[in-house]
């Protein structure tokens, strides 16, 4: 079970959530008729700013300060990685704005950035589960886009909810987070996804 938990944590790593969201958008909506070159171009921009850049910055930060992954799991040492990731996401949002991307693209980054900000603020009090925040983002994002693009996501939702439940259970079982931290992370992700996609 521990190995399965580690695999799920890697697959549903928070930095992969925006890329998954864009992938689902291209699969479920009329955007799947777009040329493969355009899809690859959009995904490359998202991957650069929401995955590769944060990983590079956090890796450099760890190396400069001689920190391990266990060190970064401590609540008080998570602020700098959060800030570095927020800077990357903000740059992605600015790039999309400059390139006149449609709002339903940039809204994914807005939702993810909002979630990061809320998790950073909550981190002053609790070691919030960023993994569950990512799960909440993905689930609510799928619901929000189903309203915007009129598709039925029920089976995908069932699968994502089950995986989220397993992810949360595993993180509590292995004492990585408390029940409250898991719930707060999930709710923060859900709120930001709905607000960022449907109302901002």
């Amino acid at each position: 079970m521990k190995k399965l938990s580690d695999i799920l944590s890697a697959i549903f790593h928070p930095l992969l959530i925006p890329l998954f969201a864009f992938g689902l958008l291209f699969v479920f909506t009329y955007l799947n008729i777009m040329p493969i070159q355009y899809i690859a171009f959009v995904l490359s921009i998202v991957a650069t700013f929401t995955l590769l850049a944060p990983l590079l910055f956090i890796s450099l930060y760890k190396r400069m300060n001689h920190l391990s992954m266990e060190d970064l799991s401590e609540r008080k040492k998570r602020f700098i990685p959060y800030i570095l990731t927020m800077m990357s996401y903000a740059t992605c949002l600015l790039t999309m704005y400059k390139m006149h991307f449609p709002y339903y693209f940039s809204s994914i980054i807005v939702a993810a950035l909002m979630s990061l900000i809320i998790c950073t603020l909550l981190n002053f009090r609790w070691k919030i589960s960023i993994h569950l925040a990512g799960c909440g983002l993905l689930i609510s994002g799928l619901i929000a886009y189903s309203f915007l693009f009129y598709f039925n996501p029920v089976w995908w939702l069932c699968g994502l909810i089950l995986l989220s439940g397993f992810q949360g259970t595993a993180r509590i079982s292995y004492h990585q987070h408390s029940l409250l931290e898991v719930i707060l992370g999930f709710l923060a992700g859900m709120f930001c996804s709905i607000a960022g996609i449907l109302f901002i």
Side-chain angles (χ1 to χ4, degrees):
M1 186 172 176
K2 178 68 166 63
K3 187 174 182 180
L4 183 58
S5 173
D6 292 339
I7 292 172
L8 278 177
S9 294
I11 294 174
F12 289 96
H13 192 281
L15 294 179
L16 288 171
I17 296 301
L19 202 57
F20 284 155
F22 275 87
L24 291 172
L25 197 59
F26 282 120
V27 167
F28 282 115
T29 70
Y30 66 85
L31 296 174
N32 58 18
I33 66 172
M34 294 289 184
I36 190 65
Q37 294 89 343
Y38 178 76
I39 294 174
F41 174 67
V42 173
L43 293 180
S44 67
I45 289 178
V46 174
T48 298
F49 289 106
T50 67
L51 178 62
L52 300 179
L55 285 176
L56 175 62
F57 293 150
I58 293 171
S59 179
L60 289 173
Y61 171 71
K62 283 166 51 183
R63 179 169 294 187
M64 290 171 61
N65 292 277
H66 307 289
L67 299 173
S68 65
M69 284 304 296
E70 289 73 21
D71 293 325
L72 290 183
S73 67
E74 294 179 24
R75 182 175 60 86
K76 293 182 180 179
K77 294 181 180 178
R78 303 172 97 196
F79 289 104
I80 298 300
Y82 279 167
I83 291 170
L84 293 172
T85 305
M86 281 190 281
M87 290 170 57
S88 297
Y89 278 47
T91 304
C92 183
L93 193 59
L94 182 61
T95 301
M96 288 183 164
Y97 174 75
K98 293 289 186 182
M99 299 181 73
H100 305 288
F101 276 34
Y103 79 93
Y104 45 78
F105 283 168
S106 57
S107 61
I108 294 175
I109 307 301
V110 168
L113 187 55
M114 286 173 57
S115 179
L116 275 170
I117 292 171
I118 289 178
C119 287
T120 302
L121 294 174
L122 291 174
N123 195 65
F124 282 101
R125 179 71 182 272
W126 299 285
K127 183 189 168 187
I128 198 80
S129 176
I130 195 75
H131 280 82
L132 268 295
C135 291
L137 274 171
L138 206 54
I139 289 171
S140 286
L142 196 57
I143 294 171
Y145 279 113
S146 71
F147 288 122
L148 291 176
F149 291 101
Y150 305 104
F151 63 87
N152 183 0
V154 64
W155 292 111
W156 280 88
L157 275 176
C158 291
L160 288 174
I161 290 170
L162 282 173
L163 288 173
S164 299
F166 184 86
Q167 178 87 285
T169 302
R171 301 194 77 78
I172 294 169
S173 299
Y174 295 111
H175 309 291
Q176 293 167 316
H177 296 284
S178 68
L179 176 60
L180 177 63
E181 291 164 345
V182 164
I183 292 173
L184 285 176
F186 188 77
L187 291 178
M190 289 193 73
F191 169 77
C192 292
S193 194
I194 294 294
I197 293 170
L198 293 181
F199 299 107
I200 294 181

